[in-house]
Amino acid sequence: MIRTVCRGALVLLLSALAGPLLAAGLELMPRPWGPTTFGTGLPAVAWSGDRFLTAWIQGMGNLGSPVMGSFSDARGRRISAVPFLLAADVRPRWMQVVGMGDSWALFWDDGHPLDDNGSWIVRIAPDGRVTRPTRLDIPRHIAIRYAWDGTYFLAALTHPHDAVPRAAGEAILLNRDGVVVRRGISLQGFSESFDITALDDSFVVITNGPP
């Protein structure tokens, strides 16, 4: 009898304590965003305006491999609340982000370098708007890099060894939409190891020379 009364009192006491809380409702904090559970790869980053744009491939298995992006400030602190889509399931083998002062360009290649691999571009605005992918009129290559001088892109590339003399290089000039303006700029003594940057209204290409 004593046990029944005590147990009933305990139940009533708990109900009395919980009643006001349930009536008012419990505010649950939103779950914080954390690292993705999917694999990532091919990170690329560039500065433009007042922020960095970082791009990466997010391998999602049967769901595809989209290219995602995120903005961060000068200290590397993330500005974007969540990553946003840059290109859907393109499966690039290589990527580069180029800052354009007021926006960014994302370049990538798909396919094997000895196949008729496609070279592509999308442009990204500071608010995250992305243009549709445009295929570039770029020949087969082993390696390629891009730079922007405020008016044009310059693509420096190494041709496949079976197409032209070993380690031959070429530079191609493109406008901001990726349309070829000039091609056939010879880069003599070029190798597969090189880099490119803009210098005022010109470009500098550095290479360690042929092997």
Side-chain angles (χ1 to χ4, degrees):
M1 193 71 176
I2 294 176
R3 292 180 181 176
T4 303
V5 172
C6 292
R7 188 173 300 158
L10 179 60
V11 171
L12 291 175
L13 177 60
L14 290 176
S15 299
L17 290 175
L21 295 176
L22 295 176
L26 294 176
E27 182 179 358
L28 300 177
M29 295 295 292
R31 186 174 181 178
W33 292 94
T36 177
T37 58
F38 296 107
T40 59
L42 295 183
V45 63
W47 174 267
S48 184
D50 62 351
R51 62 190 62 186
F52 288 105
L53 170 65
T54 302
W56 66 92
I57 298 174
Q58 191 150 300
M60 302 173 66
N62 294 333
L63 298 178
S65 300
V67 179
M68 306 299 293
S70 179
F71 291 126
S72 55
D73 64 18
R75 295 188 176 183
R77 295 174 297 195
R78 191 176 61 192
I79 298 173
S80 306
V82 294
F84 50 91
L85 181 68
L86 297 180
D89 199 19
V90 293
R91 301 183 184 277
R93 66 177 179 85
W94 167 90
M95 294 195 312
Q96 182 185 356
V97 178
V98 177
M100 301 176 63
D102 59 351
S103 58
W104 296 261
L106 170 65
F107 296 92
W108 74 87
D109 287 352
D110 56 18
H112 190 276
L114 298 182
D115 296 333
D116 185 18
N117 53 287
S119 297
W120 301 81
I121 180 177
V122 294
R123 288 180 45 209
I124 303 99
D127 61 0
R129 289 181 294 113
V130 182
T131 61
R132 294 183 62 180
T134 299
R135 184 163 182 168
L136 303 174
D137 186 14
I138 298 291
R140 287 195 309 143
H141 50 270
I142 298 175
I144 189 169
R145 298 290 292 175
Y146 297 86
W148 169 258
D149 72 348
T151 305
Y152 298 105
F153 292 108
L154 187 74
L157 59 92
T158 305
H159 290 287
H161 298 160
D162 64 348
V164 292
R166 183 173 176 80
E170 179 185 0
I172 300 175
L173 206 62
L174 309 97
N175 68 16
R176 67 185 295 121
D177 295 318
V179 177
V180 173
V181 175
R182 181 183 174 189
R183 65 172 70 251
I185 304 171
S186 179
L187 299 175
Q188 297 296 329
F190 213 48
S191 77
E192 297 176 24
S193 299
F194 64 93
D195 204 356
I196 178 175
T197 188
L199 179 63
D200 298 326
D201 59 350
S202 61
F203 299 91
V204 176
V205 181
I206 300 174
T207 178
N208 61 359

